[in-house]
Amino acid sequence: MTTTQAAVAAGPRASRLRSYVRLGKLDVYDYYLSVFVALSAAAAGTAGLDPAALPAVVLLLAGEVLLVASSVALDDITGFLDGSDLTNYGPDHPLRNKLRKPLVSGALTLRQARGFAAGTAAGAAVLWAAAVAVAPHRPTGTLVLMGVLYAGALQYSWGLKLSYHGFQESFLVAIGAGFVLAPHGLATGSWPQFLLVQAVLFGFGPLMFGVYSNTNDVDGDRAVGRPTVAARTSARGNARFVAALCVLECAVGVGASAAGIAPWWFPLVMLPATALRAVQYVTGFRRGDTMRARRLGFTTHRLATALLVTANLLLLVPGAAA
């Protein structure tokens, strides 16, 4: 019996529906919080939020859920076939829950996983086409962005395998930012400068829990030649890279405020998230608790999203933009 067959045979059998939910990571909603940033920014804009845009935004959001589900399913398929998931979720990594990987646990077969990935990708395409059809605005930039997001998400670990060619970290930021820009573009037809700043900061959220996953998964990624920064550098080099990302994230907000793109008070609003990001770094690289730091990344992202929405709502207060 091969290692792959043994992993399938040994895995506990979860319910089929729960296994598909796990395959598509449907319980991880952090990317989908982008819609709140986009809608609050639209409401704070000069023209306000047009209620007629809401059906398009809902359809776009539903398509995002299916697109991400397809992307992560393809990632699991690739990780299962190349053996990296068997390494990262094996007995040497007891903190990783094998049930989160239905192919490794044996809860789903490759055929079932491929069917799920194909079905969700098709569903996402239909929903996004419907969103464009009913949207009050269809700017060319937004339509191009949606096409790039769709193709890029599916090519993350399959096809072109972008994450296997050194684009993993930049991809995480880009897709998070794109999920803010796309609904705003369909709703208002524009991308104000402050929205671009918020989109980048939102994209940092997935990046800053992704880099801790990469730190934990370095052995498996190196074994299959997946060139994450953690896999390409030493432990010290990776720690410095993550520290630089923390500084850069903070600098984006401070720089936007200094340049007059964001209100002067914007860095102060974001300060709680900045502080928690520092706690995350200390937890992961000073105390050596990588998985707890990863979990803190989710908390930090959710807090930062709430603060971005708060900043947009504050812009509705007369004189707050000064």
Side-chain angles (χ1 to χ4, degrees):
M1 180 179 290
T2 66
T3 303
T4 299
Q5 290 170 333
V8 173
R13 301 287 174 173
S15 72
R16 186 69 51 80
L17 177 60
R18 182 177 297 179
S19 296
Y20 282 125
V21 168
R22 286 169 169 159
L23 180 67
K25 308 297 184 286
L26 296 176
D27 58 327
V28 180
Y29 54 83
D30 296 83
Y31 270 121
Y32 318 131
L33 297 175
S34 59
V35 70
F36 296 108
V37 178
L39 290 178
S40 62
T46 54
L49 177 61
D50 183 357
L54 293 179
V57 172
V58 170
L59 288 168
L60 185 73
L61 176 61
E64 285 179 7
V65 173
L66 293 184
L67 179 61
V68 172
S70 181
S71 177
V72 296
L74 290 170
D75 186 58
D76 276 13
I77 290 169
T78 300
F80 178 71
L81 291 174
D82 68 19
S84 59
D85 279 352
L86 293 171
T87 298
N88 295 333
Y89 287 79
D92 293 334
H93 293 273
L95 296 180
R96 302 305 295 268
N97 182 2
K98 188 166 66 173
L99 290 176
R100 297 288 296 170
K101 295 287 185 177
L103 289 171
V104 174
S105 70
L108 292 175
T109 66
L110 273 172
R111 181 177 180 180
Q112 290 168 332
R114 286 169 172 153
F116 176 86
T120 49
V126 171
L127 288 169
W128 275 19
V132 171
V134 303
H137 302 277
R138 303 179 189 89
T140 301
T142 298
L143 299 183
V144 171
L145 172 66
M146 291 174 63
V148 171
L149 287 172
Y150 184 87
L154 297 181
Q155 300 295 312
Y156 175 69
S157 297
W158 175 83
L160 294 178
K161 293 187 177 181
L162 297 174
S163 65
Y164 284 72
H165 293 88
F167 296 102
Q168 200 231 39
E169 291 84 5
S170 57
F171 173 90
L172 294 175
V173 175
I175 196 166
F179 280 173
V180 173
L181 297 176
H184 194 279
L186 293 183
T188 69
S190 66
W191 293 334
Q193 287 184 314
F194 187 34
L195 177 75
L196 296 175
V197 172
Q198 293 181 74
V200 171
L201 290 176
F202 183 88
F204 261 89
L207 171 65
M208 296 305 289
F209 48 76
V211 290
Y212 288 90
S213 291
N214 292 345
T215 300
N216 185 78
D217 296 346
V218 63
D219 293 336
D221 288 338
R222 282 175 177 163
V224 300
R226 193 173 195 175
T228 65
V229 172
R232 287 183 291 173
T233 64
S234 64
R236 178 176 293 183
N238 182 52
R240 289 175 175 172
F241 170 70
V242 177
L245 291 178
C246 294
V247 173
L248 179 60
E249 181 183 24
C250 179
V252 169
V254 172
S257 181
I261 296 172
W264 66 267
W265 43 260
F266 180 63
L268 299 178
V269 170
M270 301 303 297
L271 191 57
T274 302
L276 193 55
R277 184 71 75 204
V279 172
Q280 181 191 16
Y281 181 84
V282 170
T283 301
F285 291 101
R286 298 291 184 229
R287 299 176 182 167
D289 194 342
T290 305
M291 294 310 295
R292 186 179 176 208
R294 178 180 181 271
R295 291 193 296 272
L296 271 174
F298 287 95
T299 302
T300 306
H301 175 63
R302 293 162 191 172
L303 174 61
T305 300
L307 295 175
L308 289 172
V309 172
T310 298
N312 285 326
L313 296 180
L314 285 174
L315 289 174
L316 295 172
V317 177

